[in-house]
């Protein structure tokens, strides 16, 4: 799978052109088409008592988005890129899914939308909803850490979290497909304390040895492709260890797979990808296992 | 016989504006809402002129223009660019496409930056078509 077309979803408040420019490293891996999407929330222009549908407000918001996209597009056009734009009114996630389908994108880039705690408990976050519903890889910039990191090339030092599942294989395939844009990969596998605690010392050592061997094998495949790769085996809470590993090795992005669980199951059992999507300060690339 | 003008434009308000100008001056308007539909309609309708926007869904006017000019059966159709994208960017983007091995294409017959007055658009059309 090659990343040739990227959907860049911007609400303008949290995802700006410097973030987009930092993604231009993907041109080395085949990116040649960027599609912009801005979704105007329906309640900004919807019927209000006494004033009806706010057509004038809609025109104004469309114009603001259009001017911004033209400004961004001019730079990309001059670099020989193909650029498209969609400005829509409605709910963000269905619009992203629909444009991703129409434009046949290979990657969705968006920022985590900030909502109130209560709103998230009762409505769920749009980010989680998107990750659950899409079959496309999603690169997520986080709202509060955006300002400091926006210009940094997120593909420079990846932390790849793998658990030997089908979704991990997809993650590896996806990272291989963009290897030209990647400088270094830290490959992390986390054994849970619970899992190890149940084993005898001998058995635990065996599991550790096997895991290290598998990690080394994965590293070798990267090294063969001229990508610097290092294995890391951790024991503990998976989410915590991934975050710690990312910080220790100064990763510029965390990459992991996701299994498409139902919203209900996910809410009660938790999911590492969804949880990291909410908490990670670093850009997070989530690759779905595929198939709903 | 009235001449056919294809307008490729994603903004419905501008499509309505262009259609009105075309009808008022005796041309037959044909509308397409993105580059992909535009490319299809050019082949189906063989218009006498194309008014082309740049930043659109599916296929940009930059790409569509380049393809039109490379197609021997369509390259003689005059094109008026009507866009918020500057002419300088348009020319640079066409040059950038040639850097990737594509052939150089001639400039469009006219380049109008939005917003455009009805009279200005009509005058450009008249100059090219009549």
């Amino acid at each position: 799978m090659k990343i040739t077309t990227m959907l860049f979803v911007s609400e303008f408040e949290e995802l700006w052109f410097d973030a987009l420019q930092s993604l231009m490293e993907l041109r080395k891996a085949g990116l040649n088409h960027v599609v912009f999407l801005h979704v105007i929330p329906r309640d900004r222009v919807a019927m209000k008592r006494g004033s009806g549908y706010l057509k004038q407000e809609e025109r104004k918001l469309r114009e603001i988005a259009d001017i911004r996209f033209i400004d961004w597009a001019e730079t990309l056009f001059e670099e020989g890129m193909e650029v498209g734009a969609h400005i829509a009114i409605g709910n963000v996630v269905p619009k992203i899914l629909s444009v991703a389908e129409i434009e046949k994108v290979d990657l969705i880039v968006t920022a985590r939308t900030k909502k109130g705690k209560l709103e998230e408990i009762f409505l769920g976050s749009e980010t989680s909803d998107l990750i659950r519903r899409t079959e496309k890889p999603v690169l997520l910039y986080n709202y509060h850490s955006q300002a400091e990191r926006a210009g940094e090339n997120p593909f420079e030092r990846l932390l790849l979290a793998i658990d030997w599942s089908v979704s991990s294989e997809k993650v590896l395939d996806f990272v291989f497909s963009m290897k030209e844009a990647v400088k270094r990969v830290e490959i992390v596998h986390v054994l849970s304390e619970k899992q190890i605690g149940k084993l005898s010392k001998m058995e635990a050592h065996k599991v550790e040895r096997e895991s290290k061997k598998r990690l080394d094998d994965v590293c070798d495949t990267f090294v063969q492709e001229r990508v610097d790769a290092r294995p890391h085996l951790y024991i503990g809470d998976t989410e915590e260890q991934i975050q710690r590993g990312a910080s220790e090795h100064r990763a510029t992005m965390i990459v992991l797979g996701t299994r498409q669980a139902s919203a209900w199951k996910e809410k009660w059992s938790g999911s590492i990808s969804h949880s990291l999507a909410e908490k990670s300060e670093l850009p997070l690339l989530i690759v779905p296992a595929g198939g709903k | 016989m009235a001449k056919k003008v294809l307008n490729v434009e994603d903004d419905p308000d501008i499509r309505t504006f262009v259609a009105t100008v075309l009808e008022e001056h005796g041309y037959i308007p044909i509308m397409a809402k993105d580059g992909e539909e535009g490319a299809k309609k050019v082949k189906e309708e063989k218009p006498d002129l194309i008014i082309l926007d740049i930043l659109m869904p599916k296929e940009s006017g930059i790409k569509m223009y380049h393809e039109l000019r490379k197609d021997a059966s369509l390259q003689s159709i005059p094109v008026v660019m009507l866009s918020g994208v500057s002419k300088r960017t348009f020319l640079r983007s066409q040059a950038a496409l040639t850097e990737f091995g594509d052939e150089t294409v001639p400039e469009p017959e006219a380049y109008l930056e939005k917003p455009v007055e009805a009279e200005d658009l009509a005058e450009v059309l008249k100059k090219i078509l009549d």
Side-chain angles (χ1 to χ4, degrees), chain B residues 1-15:
Chain B
M1 194 178 154
K3 291 185 171 161
K4 290 193 283 186
V5 176
L6 170 66
N7 179 213
V8 189
E9 168 67 63
D10 64 327
D11 185 329
D13 289 343
I14 296 176
R15 279 204 303 272

Side-chain angles (χ1 to χ4, degrees), chain B residues 45-87:
Chain B
E45 303 278 352
K46 292 275 165 61
D48 298 288
L49 183 142
I50 301 165
I51 301 173
L52 183 58
D53 185 19
I54 289 182
L55 191 57
M56 296 179 287
K58 291 190 181 174
E59 187 178 307
S60 71
I62 302 264
K63 192 175 173 195
M64 187 179 158
Y65 179 80
H66 206 79
E67 281 164 7
L68 276 173
R69 287 297 188 244
K70 285 196 307 179
D71 187 325
S73 64
L74 306 172
Q75 61 190 193
S76 60
I77 302 174
V79 176
V80 174
M81 300 303 298
L82 175 59
S83 175
V85 172
S86 70
K87 184 177 181 185

Side-chain angles (χ1 to χ4, degrees), chain A residues 59 74 78 82 84 86 103, chain B residues 13 57-58 60 86 89 92:
Chain A
R59 279 213 182 106
E74 286 193 330
E78 289 186 18
E82 168 68 347
H86 293 253
E103 299 276 1
Chain B
D13 289 343
K58 291 190 181 174
S60 71
S86 70
T89 294
R92 283 184 179 173

Side-chain angles (χ1 to χ4, degrees), chain A residues 2 25 50 52 61 66 162 173 183 216 243 246 248 283:
Chain A
K2 278 264 169 203
E25 278 294 307
L61 294 172
D66 196 43
I162 54 174
D173 285 348
K183 284 192 179 152
D216 283 341
Q243 294 256 48
E248 265 176 35

